[in-house]
Amino acid sequence: MTQIETLPIGELSRQTGCKVQTIRYYEQIGLMPEPARTTGNQRRYDPRHRERLAFIRHSRELGFTLEAIRELLGLTDDPDCSCEMVDDIARTQLLQVNQRIARLSALRTELVRMLEQCRGGRIADCRVIEVLADHTPASCLSQDHEAPIEAGGRHAG
Amino acid sequence: MTQIETLPIGELSRQTGCKVQTIRYYEQIGLMPEPARTTGNQRRYDPRHRERLAFIRHSRELGFTLEAIRELLGLTDDPDCSCEMVDDIARTQLLQVNQRIARLSALRTELVRMLEQCRGGRIADCRVIEVLADHTPASCLSQDHEAPIEAGGRHAG
DNA sequence: CTAGTAGCTCCAGTAACTGGAGGTTCAAGA
DNA sequence: TCTTGAACCTCCAGTTACTGGAGCTACTAG
Ligand SMILES: [Zn+2]
Ligand SMILES: [Zn+2]
Ligand SMILES: [Zn+2]
Ligand SMILES: [Zn+2]
């Protein structure tokens, strides 16, 4: 009898580049199905788990939310169905990416202008501080950053 | 005796475009100083609070983290000091914005290509699904989205 | 005096993980 | 067989920058 290929969680982690904790987290929220367990209660995955996790990771890398990914995974359960909804989700994602780029470009413009105006002196005279203190046409020409944007984030290693 | 201008929190909120809860939150984490209170324990702000909050908001809109803003506010306490550190914080922020734009542009490229290849048929044949499932040069030419990016986020009204 | 709006505190939840404590299991070598 | 050390387990708390709600109190106009 040939034995089917099974992976412990650390091996799956290595093969997909997804952290062990994250894999467990995906299971907890129902994105990954519960794998088989050894008698000692350790998870053992098969190649289909690996493919599903690769799908999830690649989608995340493309900026899809876990909710969108959940939907995409749901849709793939029905391979004969039209792919309209899949493409819709992807188009929505593209739209959001475009919006985020536009927003960030506006920020860049303002940051650059701010920095250009500073001649390096005392804080009391610093244009950076002045501009930050005053978002009106007098100081800041950009009108399109009304709402905050997620900054940096993820203290990732 | 002339009375100095004081604002209840709702008025400050209206004037700065910052939600009431957010103002209280900034106080809680020590970004905004505790204002005076009425005998009935309600907050009353003065114009300096408004300026400080405007500074915080504009900085947030430019993508600075609250930690960076805390530092900037700390620096302004010493107006005779050189503005080097201020400009450093701003330059770091600009760098991050540039990186985020670069990352998002790569995502856009991949999303666009993915969508172009789909001819609209069954899910089983959908290129979008295929590409999502397979981030290797066979499917996905982009090599620069190794780490996830914050997606959308903030269910803001 | 009363009604309605605005304020108060405290707590929980969001997205998508990450890290740690404290304990158990596995696999390999002696 | 025993031992050692890495890998695994569960549970919980923390991250960022807020947001929303429950349940209560204060202020103000009529
Ligand atoms: Zn300067
Ligand atoms: Zn501005
Ligand atoms: Zn398609
Ligand atoms: Zn890819």
Side-chain angles (χ1 to χ4, degrees), chain A residues 58 61 63 75 79-83 87 98 100 107-108 110 118 121-124 131-132 135 145-146 150-151, chain B residues 58 61 63 75 79-83 87 98 100 107-108 110 118 121-124 131-132 135 145-146 150-151:
Chain A
H58 195 206
E61 282 159 12
L75 289 169
D80 285 327
C81 188
S82 144
C83 73
D87 299 10
N98 281 334
R100 289 162 71 69
L107 299 197
R108 176 165 59 185
E110 184 162 356
C118 171
R122 297 184 319 141
I123 280 180
V131 174
L132 288 177
H135 171 64
H145 51 270
E146 300 308 321
E150 357 255 298
Chain B
H58 195 207
E61 282 157 14
L75 289 169
D80 285 325
C81 188
S82 142
C83 74
D87 298 10
N98 280 334
R100 288 162 73 67
L107 299 197
R108 176 165 59 185
E110 184 162 355
C118 172
R122 296 184 318 141
I123 279 180
V131 174
L132 288 178
H135 169 64
H145 50 271
E146 302 306 324
E150 357 255 295

Side-chain angles (χ1 to χ4, degrees), chain A residues 70-142:
Chain A
R70 197 190 293 279
E71 239 186 299
L72 287 168
L73 285 167
L75 289 169
T76 60
D77 285 346
D78 202 347
D80 285 327
C81 188
S82 144
C83 73
E84 229 174 285
M85 297 180 62
V86 169
D87 299 10
D88 240 43
I89 294 171
R91 263 192 302 273
T92 301
Q93 175 58 15
L94 175 58
L95 216 81
Q96 278 168 12
V97 167
N98 281 334
Q99 280 167 5
R100 289 162 71 69
I101 289 174
R103 174 69 73 66
L104 285 167
S105 299
L107 299 197
R108 176 165 59 185
T109 304
E110 184 162 356
L111 286 167
V112 166
R113 185 169 42 222
M114 215 167 74
L115 279 162
E116 274 170 356
Q117 288 180 352
C118 171
R119 294 276 153 259
R122 297 184 319 141
I123 280 180
D125 310 319
C126 180
R127 275 296 288 165
V128 171
I129 294 289
E130 271 174 60
V131 174
L132 288 177
D134 179 27
H135 171 64
T136 65
S139 234
C140 170
L141 303 179
S142 146

Side-chain angles (χ1 to χ4, degrees), chain A residues 36-44:
Chain A
R37 300 270 186 152
T38 64
T39 48
N41 201 34
Q42 300 200 353
R43 292 170 177 83
R44 288 298 178 266

Side-chain angles (χ1 to χ4, degrees), chain A residues 58-59 61-62, chain B residues 107 110 113-114 131-132 134-136 139-146:
Chain A
H58 195 206
S59 303
E61 282 159 12
L62 288 169
Chain B
L107 299 197
E110 184 162 355
R113 186 167 42 222
M114 213 167 74
V131 174
L132 288 178
D134 179 27
H135 169 64
T136 64
S139 235
C140 169
L141 304 180
S142 148
Q143 247 24 251
D144 39 9
H145 50 271
E146 302 306 324

